[in-house]
Amino acid sequence: MVSAYLNCTKFLSPEELAQLQQVFDDICLHEKVDHRSALADEVAKQLVRLYQGGVHDPAEIAALMELRFHRH
């Protein structure tokens, strides 16, 4: 799911992609988000934006996403 939103010019190692996918899966599980939903698409897009913006630590990404998720 996450890989669908990656900018083709931004290279990610398989490990980095796996980390982002794990954060995505954890968020969807914790927040009960269906992987095929519009909300899941938005979560994936936000994960990629954070990563491409320089936030590479999975724990930091997860914390930022949780803040964004519960702000709405």
Side-chain angles (χ1 to χ4, degrees):
M1 171 62 93
V2 173
S3 61
Y5 297 100
L6 290 173
N7 180 341
C8 293
T9 63
K10 175 72 174 162
F11 177 78
L12 289 179
S13 71
E15 293 82 17
E16 292 169 315
L17 182 56
Q19 287 178 339
L20 280 179
Q21 184 65 49
Q22 186 61 54
V23 172
F24 173 81
D25 291 339
D26 290 347
I27 289 169
C28 288
L29 179 65
H30 184 260
E31 301 298 336
K32 297 175 180 58
V33 174
D34 184 331
H35 280 86
R36 298 170 306 243
S37 69
L39 181 55
D41 287 346
E42 189 56 37
V43 168
K45 288 176 191 176
Q46 288 183 23
L47 284 172
V48 170
R49 280 189 209 118
L50 284 170
Y51 192 87
Q52 290 179 332
V55 183
H56 296 162
D57 178 51
E60 186 177 357
I61 292 170
L64 290 168
M65 288 298 297
E66 185 171 338
L67 285 173
R68 288 180 179 191
F69 208 91
H70 291 283
R71 191 174 359 156
H72 292 79

